[in-house]
Amino acid sequence: MQKVFMMQASATFDPTTLKYNDAGLIPAIAQDETSGEVLMMAWMNAEAIEKTLETGRITYWSRSRQSFWIKGESSGHTQELVDFRVDCDRDCLLVLVHQTGPACHTNRRSCFYTAVREGDEIELMSPMT
C-alpha cells in the first residue's frame, strides 16, 4: 500500500488549471490502491474529472463513443476512487482505485498484459474467468 503524505498547504482544486490536449482531454492512469498495479489508461475531460470527484466512481471520456463512460456501468467491473493525483506538469492524472473485477475490456486484470522482451511479445496474463 502506498503511503500518502499530507502537506500543510492546500488550495482549492480547479480542473481548468490542468493542461489538456487539443481535444480537451488529459490522460488518466488507473492504479490499484492496494497492490500498486497499473491497471489501465483512459482519457478524461474537465467534466469527467468533476463527475469523478463528485461521485467517487471513475468517469472517463470515450473518444470512440464521444460520451462519458463510468467504469463498470455495463460490465460491473467498477473502479471506486481512493485518491486523485495530478502530476508535476499538470498534464497527466493518476487515479488510485479500488478495482472490482478485471480492468481491461479483454477481461484481464490489467490492460498492460503484453511485454516486449528480447524483441518478442510475451502475454503476461490470461483473461479472468
Side-chain angles (χ1 to χ4, degrees), residues 3 107 120:
K3 293 183 180 182
N107 214 37
D120 294 325

Side-chain angles (χ1 to χ4, degrees), residues 8-127:
Q8 295 292 358
S10 66
T12 302
F13 174 68
D14 180 359
T16 64
T17 64
L18 299 174
K19 296 177 185 172
Y20 300 91
N21 67 14
D22 292 340
L25 302 174
I26 188 169
I29 299 165
Q31 181 179 24
D32 184 275
E33 60 97 12
T34 303
S35 69
E37 181 180 21
V38 175
L39 300 172
M40 58 179 282
M41 190 289 288
W43 297 94
M44 289 183 169
N45 61 17
E47 193 173 348
I49 292 168
E50 290 170 356
K51 288 176 182 287
T52 295
L53 294 172
E54 287 171 11
T55 66
R57 296 198 54 205
I58 308 301
T59 303
Y60 298 107
W61 178 257
S62 171
R63 295 177 301 164
S64 60
R65 294 181 293 229
Q66 291 293 296
S67 63
F68 293 106
W69 158 42
I70 300 171
K71 182 66 176 162
E73 192 171 47
S74 59
S75 68
H77 304 151
T78 59
Q79 292 179 343
E80 296 174 42
L81 181 64
V82 175
D83 202 15
F84 187 93
R85 299 185 186 178
V86 178
D87 82 330
C88 58
D89 294 323
R90 301 187 73 79
D91 63 359
C92 188
L93 305 173
L94 175 65
V95 288
L96 297 176
V97 302
H98 172 72
Q99 177 71 44
T100 300
C104 185
H105 74 280
T106 65
N107 214 37
R108 289 173 174 84
R109 173 78 181 151
S110 169
C111 292
F112 298 96
Y113 61 87
T114 304
V116 177
R117 297 184 179 154
E118 297 179 12
D120 294 325
E121 288 191 23
I122 309 296
E123 186 174 302
L124 302 174
M125 65 185 76
S126 299

